[in-house]
């Protein structure tokens, strides 16, 4: 491997000598101290992978000398040290690898050529649903149902673990991928064959950024890009702008890390940080524990950044020690960080940034975010007014019939608009942080002591991100208090945060639907997009775990918890939130007594072994997977059918029809929902035709290994609005090739166009593809026959995923939109000027009356490598041809 700067040198740690690529080799020509922490990680990556072709001396020099105020428009390569997966997005990755093993044999290669070339670790966390809650046996019952539903998927993953090299799976009911990552998987500094280098990772989940909190550069990518990284392909990226966030002060009494991250999310969304790195620095870092930092880093997708990174410092080492890492590894981390200029102290010189924002921790106030977007922060004192404003807007489209009389589980009550029907302590965002979990437990203890009870219409759940949480809550004596309020452990997985909230009790769900009630969910998650948490819950608020408990007691968001009582105690007196809220000192004392390294060591001692259910899954070891044509979970995808060794090149797109005209902030949940499969939907009908009963439908997310389900689910979200079908909510469109057809599901319309060999286009507004790093949002789009998406702007991951699936991403010229251009979806569209390297093309949109609108669109294929992928028909085809060649 080429090394233009003679950067490889040695470092002694203890009694052992290691090799590393020294950034100091560049210091004679470049002032490295001025570079952001994240740039130093990228720079080391370039130094280590310099080969004169994919990574050149010029790449290194450009990055090392970059002007942060005017970042050069140059793409560089980045090769992550490892890849992490969760099962919803990970199963399709392994399905694709299995399909590639079959396909490479068709092209004359060997199945064994298809293997991950770097460590790949999959954590099964997305499959458990909250079917049972509020009882001591809820955890076991949910786990049993989970295994019954997912036997085929889990058997497939066991095959992958046996057949594929460099692939490990963390079994179900262990924890959430990002929490397991920071508590166990993350190395911070990697060691391989005596070579030290920074830990870094790609993950098939947008919240992979959580690991940024302990100094590891990583971010979410689509499954397609993750597969490329697994198979040794560097990821091409434009040199990013870096927005610095200077942190000062200390959190005030009563403020939590959740309040802080919701404030940061609001601040950065307003600044605009899409496709940018965010880096935290300043004296206030000394007052932020690693768990607090990881909470902030976790929500980088919500504030729109590629990453939200913190440097390595003494607090990082404290966290590694607390979570049971060995002292040799901790010594390596410190020595390497110090010698590479990656070590932070309060006296460290401040780097240069593209822009700097300021956060004073002392000004952070108790907050929630909602009711439909995580960046819409609302002060706790303003939640009632916020809910009422949103409720009034809902009434214009869907008037409520008012309170419903409900009898459920022996209780009779009036279910009203604003009722909190789901209160969930969920998500790695907050359950990774002992201070807010202990805080929730202390609040519960005080509530129980005063005689408060959870309202009978509230579905409560506690779903920790790792088993360590349960152990320290037990040790602190707080788990029983949470259970007394219905917050029993329901599973170790993402649950409500990703829409796996399970069914509401039948009488409650029926009342909501019949009376068109606008009810609420309060969850300690990171996302609250429309239709995500539960399809019948229209108002969703993100909150800290203590506030989740408080809202379960109060039972409504149509209430001001800062002024109105949560309820009455056993003495008949009003109880207010201030009566229950624990002090920071109470929390710190409880955390110090209950949380220690022994808990982490015991929890992760045999983490890959799994329980008796996992071990009972039988699997036959073989190089290629034996596909079952009857399976409704795992099918061989059609990406490589008829594929030749020669790439097809860039083909013109003409005579295209519009499948949908969509608005702003269309999320990957809108495009490819993860939750419940409706019986009368195209996917539901497919399952019914294959003998699957409704109670066994499971979720879209669990069936991502079957393209037949997923393409039918594309654009199937019940909340999506297509301007081509005004007044009709849901994933529907019209077939316009000839006489206008009726309003039908988008899948059915797309299949009619496909049968007529008519290419399709989607028109959209701002922030198209925001949300999860969901590769099926791009895969499904491609399988429906969509050749191009024209939007006002894209979220980073989805744009890359579209390119990776051979779909052309285009942006309207700034100031223009489908609305301003008069596009209504009835047009026939031709594209002129689509060729490799082009930055824009002309779009000709002709209406039925012959009138045409011609406009420019920006081509959002950003790098030479992406153009290569696009010419091959997608990144999977590119990689397969590379291996076969």
């Amino acid at each position: 491997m080429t090394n233009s700067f003679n950067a490889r040198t040695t470092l002694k740690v203890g009694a052992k000598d290691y090799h590393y690529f020294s950034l100091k080799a560049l210091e004679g020509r470049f002032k490295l101290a001025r570079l952001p922490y994240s740039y130093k990680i990228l720079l080391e990556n370039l130094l280590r992978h310099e080969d004169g072709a994919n990574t050149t001396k010029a790449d290194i020099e450009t990055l090392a000398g970059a002007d942060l105020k005017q970042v050069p428009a140059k793409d560089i390569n980045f090769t992550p040290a490892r890849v992490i997966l969760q099962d919803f997005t990970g199963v399709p990755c392994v399905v694709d690898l299995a399909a590639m093993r079959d396909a490479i044999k068709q092209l004359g290669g060997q199945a064994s050529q298809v293997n991950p070339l770097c460590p790949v670790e999959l954590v099964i966390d997305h499959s458990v649903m909250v079917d049972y809650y509020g009882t001591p046996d809820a955890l076991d019952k949910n786990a049993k149902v989970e295994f019954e539903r997912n036997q085929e998927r889990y058997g497939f993953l066991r095959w992958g673990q046996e057949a594929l090299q460099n692939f490990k799976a963390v079994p179900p009911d262990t924890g959430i991928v990002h929490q397991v990552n920071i508590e166990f998987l993350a190395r911070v500094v990697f060691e391989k064959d005596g070579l030290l280098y920074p830990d870094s990772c790609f993950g098939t989940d947008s919240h992979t950024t959580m690991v940024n909190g302990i100094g590891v550069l990583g971010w979410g990518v689509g499954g397609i890009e993750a597969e490329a990284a697994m198979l040794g392909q560097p990821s091409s990226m434009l040199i990013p702008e870096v927005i610095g966030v200077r942190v000062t002060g200390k959190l005030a009494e009563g403020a939590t890390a959740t309040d802080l991250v919701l404030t940061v999310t609001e601040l950065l969304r307003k600044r605009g940080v899409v496709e940018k790195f965010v880096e935290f620095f300043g004296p206030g870092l000394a007052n932020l524990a690693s768990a607090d930092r990881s909470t902030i880093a976790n929500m980088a997708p919500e504030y729109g950044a590629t990453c939200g990174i913190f440097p390595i410092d003494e607090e990082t080492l404290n966290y590694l020690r607390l979570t049971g890492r060995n002292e040799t590894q901790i010594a390596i981390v410190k020595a390497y960080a110090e010698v590479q200029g990656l070590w932070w102290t309060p006296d460290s010189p401040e780097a240069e940034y593209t822009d700097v924002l300021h956060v004073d921790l002392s000004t952070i106030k108790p907050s929630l975010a909602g009711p439909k977007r995580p960046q819409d922060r609302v002060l706790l004192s303003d939640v009632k007014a916020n809910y009422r404003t949103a409720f009034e807007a809902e009434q214009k489209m869907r008037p409520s019939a008012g309170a419903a009389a409900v009898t459920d589980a022996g209780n009779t009550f009036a279910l009203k608009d604003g009722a909190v029907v789901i209160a969930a302590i969920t998500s790695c965002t907050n359950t990774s942080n002992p201070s807010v979990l202990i805080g929730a437990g202390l609040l519960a203890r005080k509530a129980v002591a005063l005689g408060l009870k959870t309202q009978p219409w509230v579905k409560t759940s506690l779903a920790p991100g790792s088993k360590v949480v349960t152990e320290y809550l037990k040790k602190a004596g707080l788990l029983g208090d949470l259970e007394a309020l219905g917050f029993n452990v329901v599973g170790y997985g993402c649950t409500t945060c990703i829409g796996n909230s399970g069914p509401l009790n039948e009488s409650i769900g029926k009342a909501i639907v019949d009376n068109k009630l606008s009810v609420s969910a309060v969850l300690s998650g990171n996302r609250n997009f429309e239709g995500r948490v539960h399809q019948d819950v229209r108002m969703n608020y993100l909150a800290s775990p203590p506030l989740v408990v408080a809202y379960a007691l109060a039972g409504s968001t149509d209430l001001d918890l800062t002024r109105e009582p949560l309820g009455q105690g056993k003495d008949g007196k009003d109880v207010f939130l201030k009566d229950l809220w624990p002090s920071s000192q109470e929390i710190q004392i409880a955390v110090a007594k209950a949380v220690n390294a022994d808990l982490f060591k015991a929890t992760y001692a045999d983490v890959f072994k799994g329980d008796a259910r996992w071990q009972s899954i039988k699997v036959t070891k073989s190089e290629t997977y034996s596909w079952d044509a009857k399976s409704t979970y795992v099918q061989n995808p059609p990406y490589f059918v008829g594929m030749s060794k020669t790439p097809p090149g860039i083909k013109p797109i003409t005579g295209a029809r519009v499948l949908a005209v969509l608005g702003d902030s269309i999320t990957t949940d809108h495009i490819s929902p993860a939750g419940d499969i409706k019986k009368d939907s195209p996917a539901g009908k497919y399952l019914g035709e294959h003998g699957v009963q409704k109670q066994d439908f499971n979720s879209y997310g669990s069936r991502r290994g079957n393209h037949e389900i997923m393409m039918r689910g594309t654009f199937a979200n019940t909340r999506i609005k297509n301007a081509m079908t005004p007044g009709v909510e849901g994933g529907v469109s019209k077939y316009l090739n000839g006489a206008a057809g009726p309003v039908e599901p988008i899948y059915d319309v797309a299949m009619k166009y496909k049968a007529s060999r008519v290419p399709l286009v989607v028109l959209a507004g701002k922030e198209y593809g925001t949300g999860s790093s969901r590769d099926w949002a791009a895969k499904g789009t491609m399988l429906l026959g969509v050749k191009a998406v024209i939007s006002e702007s894209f979220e980073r991951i989805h744009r890359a995923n579209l390119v990776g699936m051979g779909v052309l991403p285009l942006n309207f010229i700034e100031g223009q939109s489908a609305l301003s251009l008069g596009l209504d979806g009835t047009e026939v569209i031709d594209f002129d000027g689509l060729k490799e390297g082009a930055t824009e093309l002309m779009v000709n949109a002709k209406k039925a009356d012959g009138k045409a609108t011609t406009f420019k669109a920006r081509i959002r294929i950003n790098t030479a490598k992406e153009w290569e992928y696009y010419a091959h028909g997608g990144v999977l085809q590119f990689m397969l041809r590379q291996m076969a060649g």
Side-chain angles (χ1 to χ4, degrees):
M1 188 173 283
T2 306
N3 189 332
S4 301
F5 298 92
N6 297 315
R8 190 178 174 112
T9 186
T10 58
L11 173 68
K12 183 182 261 332
V13 183
K16 188 171 180 179
D17 287 329
Y18 298 91
H19 292 279
Y20 73 104
F21 284 82
S22 174
L23 294 176
K24 290 181 180 177
L26 302 170
E27 281 188 342
R29 295 178 54 193
F30 304 100
K31 295 179 180 178
L32 299 188
R34 72 181 183 84
L35 293 181
Y37 175 89
S38 52
Y39 266 33
K40 293 176 184 178
I41 302 292
L42 296 177
L43 194 57
E44 188 280 340
N45 201 276
L46 292 175
L47 271 177
R48 184 161 36 93
H49 291 98
E50 184 192 358
D51 59 4
N54 288 313
T55 299
T56 66
K57 180 181 179 183
D59 295 334
I60 296 167
E61 292 173 334
T62 300
L63 183 63
D67 178 359
L68 269 295
K69 298 296 182 185
Q70 194 171 357
V71 174
K74 177 176 174 56
D75 57 281
I76 57 172
N77 283 327
F78 179 71
T79 305
R82 59 193 173 95
V83 174
I84 61 168
L85 313 171
Q86 40 94 334
D87 55 309
F88 270 20
T89 50
V91 165
C93 288
V94 183
V95 165
D96 290 349
L97 292 177
M100 291 175 80
R101 282 195 160 196
D102 287 344
I104 199 168
K105 292 174 71 175
Q106 299 294 324
L107 295 179
Q110 299 294 319
S112 59
Q113 289 177 258
V114 180
N115 273 307
L117 300 178
C118 67
V120 176
E121 291 140 341
L122 183 149
V123 180
I124 300 173
D125 63 1
H126 272 51
S127 295
V128 63
M129 298 183 75
V130 189
D131 290 291
Y132 299 92
Y133 71 98
T135 61
D137 60 354
L139 172 64
D140 184 64
K141 283 184 173 180
N142 287 328
K144 182 181 178 183
V145 173
E146 175 191 357
F147 268 84
E148 289 170 352
R149 285 176 177 151
N150 296 284
Q151 193 81 16
E152 290 179 46
R153 297 170 65 243
Y154 292 172
F156 174 69
L157 290 174
R158 287 292 303 269
W159 168 82
Q161 196 166 23
E162 294 286 338
L164 299 170
Q165 298 172 17
N166 276 329
F167 176 76
K168 291 181 179 179
V170 175
D173 306 313
T174 302
I176 299 173
V177 58
H178 312 304
Q179 193 159 336
V180 174
N181 195 15
I182 62 171
E183 291 180 355
F184 178 71
L185 297 174
R187 287 77 158 171
V188 184
V189 173
F190 237 92
E191 186 273 325
K192 183 180 180 183
D193 299 328
L195 179 68
L196 301 181
Y197 49 95
D199 186 8
S200 59
C201 65
F202 281 173
T204 57
D205 189 284
S206 50
H207 296 101
T208 299
T209 53
M210 188 169 189
V211 78
N212 299 166
I214 56 172
V216 176
L217 184 60
W219 57 84
V221 297
I224 331 160
E225 194 173 351
E227 289 167 41
M230 288 182 214
L231 296 171
Q233 286 293 313
S235 179
S236 182
M237 60 186 290
L238 289 168
I239 296 176
E241 294 182 353
V242 184
I243 307 301
V245 178
R246 191 171 193 274
V247 183
T248 57
K250 184 178 182 179
L251 285 175
E253 186 68 36
T256 67
T258 313
D259 304 320
L260 172 58
V261 72
L262 295 179
T263 304
V264 168
T265 299
E266 178 188 46
L267 175 73
L268 290 170
R269 267 290 171 186
K270 286 180 178 176
R271 165 56 179 80
V273 293
V274 174
E275 298 187 354
K276 298 174 175 57
F277 282 13
V278 168
E279 190 164 311
F280 297 88
F281 70 102
L285 294 195
N287 298 319
L288 284 178
S290 283
D292 297 338
R293 299 175 187 184
S294 292
T295 296
I296 296 167
N298 177 285
M299 286 189 70
E302 281 66 51
Y303 44 83
T306 303
C307 67
I309 198 159
F310 290 79
I312 299 170
D313 65 353
E314 200 63 49
E315 174 55 26
T316 314
L317 303 190
N318 292 340
Y319 183 78
L320 295 178
R321 200 167 279 116
L322 173 68
T323 50
R325 269 66 166 216
N326 66 65
E327 289 298 326
T328 300
Q329 178 65 19
I330 293 169
I332 287 172
V333 170
K334 183 172 185 180
Y336 183 84
E338 286 181 332
V339 77
Q340 289 283 57
L342 301 173
W343 182 258
W344 180 85
T345 70
D347 299 322
S348 295
E350 295 185 353
E352 295 176 7
Y353 296 99
T354 307
D355 191 10
V356 174
L357 304 180
H358 297 268
V359 171
D360 180 353
L361 299 178
S362 68
T363 64
I364 303 302
K365 296 180 180 179
S367 303
L368 288 80
K372 295 183 180 180
R373 298 191 308 175
Q375 64 263 40
D376 294 335
R377 185 178 68 93
V378 53
L379 290 173
L380 176 60
S381 57
D382 294 337
V383 169
K384 181 177 181 178
N386 174 274
Y387 161 75
R388 289 193 169 183
T389 299
F391 176 69
E392 288 169 10
E394 284 281 335
Q395 296 313 289
K396 294 174 183 176
M397 177 176 283
R398 185 175 171 272
S400 168
V406 176
T407 298
D408 183 77
N411 298 297
T412 299
F413 48 84
L415 190 66
K416 302 177 182 178
D417 290 297
V420 173
V421 296
I422 292 175
I425 299 176
T426 178
S427 173
C428 52
T429 308
N430 285 292
T431 70
S432 61
N433 194 323
S435 64
V436 291
L437 265 295
I438 292 287
L442 290 170
L443 189 148
R445 172 179 288 175
K446 294 182 181 185
V448 171
L450 290 171
L452 293 185
K453 295 182 179 179
T454 297
Q455 297 297 338
W457 53 82
V458 184
K459 181 174 185 176
T460 48
S461 59
L462 169 60
S466 85
K467 292 183 175 180
V468 176
V469 175
T470 307
E471 295 308 310
Y472 69 63
L473 285 174
K474 283 181 183 175
K475 191 172 181 182
L478 297 173
L479 187 60
D481 296 302
L482 286 164
E483 290 174 340
L485 297 180
F487 287 94
N488 299 76
V489 174
V490 295
Y492 296 98
C494 302
T495 61
T496 304
C497 188
I498 60 165
N500 283 4
S501 51
L504 296 173
N505 289 359
E506 187 176 353
S507 57
I508 293 172
K510 185 176 186 303
I512 293 168
V513 174
D514 289 351
N515 284 37
K516 297 183 179 178
L517 297 175
S518 289
V519 295
S520 301
V522 180
L523 64 152
S524 63
N526 46 45
R527 292 219 168 119
N528 56 345
F529 299 134
E530 201 173 6
R532 178 183 175 92
V533 173
H534 190 285
Q535 292 195 5
D536 293 331
V537 179
R538 304 184 81 83
M539 310 286 185
N540 301 285
Y541 289 91
L542 306 180
S544 65
L547 284 178
V548 172
V549 177
Y551 273 101
L553 298 170
S556 178
T557 50
D558 192 16
L559 197 69
D560 181 355
L561 296 195
T562 65
R563 295 180 180 87
E564 299 176 63
L566 280 67
Q568 285 72 46
K570 55 191 173 186
D571 60 2
K573 293 181 180 179
D574 286 344
V575 178
F576 294 85
L577 183 61
K578 63 183 180 181
D579 301 324
L580 305 180
W581 199 266
S583 69
S584 57
Q585 185 178 16
E586 286 179 276
I587 294 171
Q588 288 167 9
I589 290 171
V591 169
K593 287 182 179 179
V595 187
N596 59 49
D598 290 340
L599 297 181
F600 289 90
K601 289 177 182 177
T603 297
Y604 288 108
D606 284 312
V607 71
F608 297 109
K609 187 176 179 181
D611 61 14
R613 290 186 180 103
W614 179 254
Q615 293 172 34
S616 70
I617 298 173
K618 292 181 173 59
V619 61
T620 302
K621 190 171 182 178
S622 59
E623 275 197 342
T624 56
Y625 184 67
S626 298
W627 306 97
D628 180 1
K630 296 178 181 178
S631 173
T632 55
Y633 277 100
V634 178
Q635 284 296 330
N636 193 348
Y639 311 134
F640 311 113
V641 174
M643 179 177 158
S644 67
K645 285 189 175 182
T646 306
I650 298 170
K651 295 181 178 179
I653 303 172
T654 58
R657 281 288 190 175
V658 179
L659 183 63
V661 180
L662 306 172
D664 295 340
S665 299
I666 294 298
T667 71
T668 50
D669 283 283
H670 286 117
I671 305 167
S672 183
D676 186 50
I677 301 173
K678 295 287 187 184
K679 188 175 182 178
D680 59 353
S681 68
K685 290 176 181 176
Y686 170 89
L687 288 170
E689 289 164 2
H690 285 74
V692 181
Q693 298 300 308
K694 176 66 177 80
Q695 65 266 23
D696 299 320
F697 275 14
N698 213 332
S699 63
Y700 281 109
S702 66
R703 293 188 180 273
R704 285 181 184 165
N706 185 346
H707 62 278
E708 296 286 359
I709 299 284
M710 298 310 297
M711 63 191 288
R712 285 166 171 80
T714 304
F715 297 111
N717 189 299
T718 57
R719 299 286 182 264
I720 201 168
K721 299 176 183 69
N722 183 358
M724 295 174 66
T725 59
V728 182
E729 199 174 40
V732 292
S733 187
K734 288 182 179 179
Y735 180 73
L736 300 177
N737 211 32
V743 173
E744 299 177 273
I746 277 183
Y747 169 79
D748 294 340
V749 173
M751 291 304 99
K752 288 180 179 179
Y753 280 122
K754 204 166 194 178
S756 303
R757 297 189 177 181
V758 175
L760 296 173
V761 175
V762 170
L763 306 178
K766 301 179 182 69
E767 297 180 345
Y768 183 77
T770 187
S772 302
S773 58
R774 196 162 291 172
D775 58 333
W776 265 111
K779 287 179 174 177
T781 298
M782 181 275 290
L783 289 174
L784 290 184
V786 174
K787 300 299 182 184
V789 177
I790 315 175
S791 71
E792 293 177 60
S793 65
F794 288 103
E795 200 78 350
R796 176 184 62 86
I797 299 173
H798 186 62
R799 183 208 61 81
N801 281 346
L802 288 173
V803 176
M805 291 310 298
V807 178
L808 178 66
L810 300 167
N811 281 155
F812 292 108
I813 301 299
E814 190 168 346
Q816 292 186 343
S817 65
L819 183 63
S820 73
L821 292 166
L823 306 177
D824 59 12
T826 62
E827 298 82 7
V828 176
I829 295 179
D830 297 329
F831 297 94
D832 185 30
L834 177 58
K835 58 184 178 181
E836 185 171 345
T839 58
E840 61 182 29
L841 49 66
M842 297 303 298
V843 183
N844 184 273
K846 186 183 294 184
K847 293 186 183 294
D849 61 7
K851 292 181 181 178
T853 300
T854 301
F855 59 95
K856 283 183 182 179
R858 290 174 55 220
I859 298 175
R860 292 301 313 280
I861 298 178
N862 290 352
T863 66
K865 180 62 73 175
E866 286 189 343
W867 275 109
E868 198 169 7
Y869 293 160
Y870 185 70
H872 275 259
V875 65
L876 300 179
Q877 292 85 345
F878 168 81
M879 290 188 297
L880 192 59
R881 289 188 179 100
Q882 294 288 103
M883 287 185 284

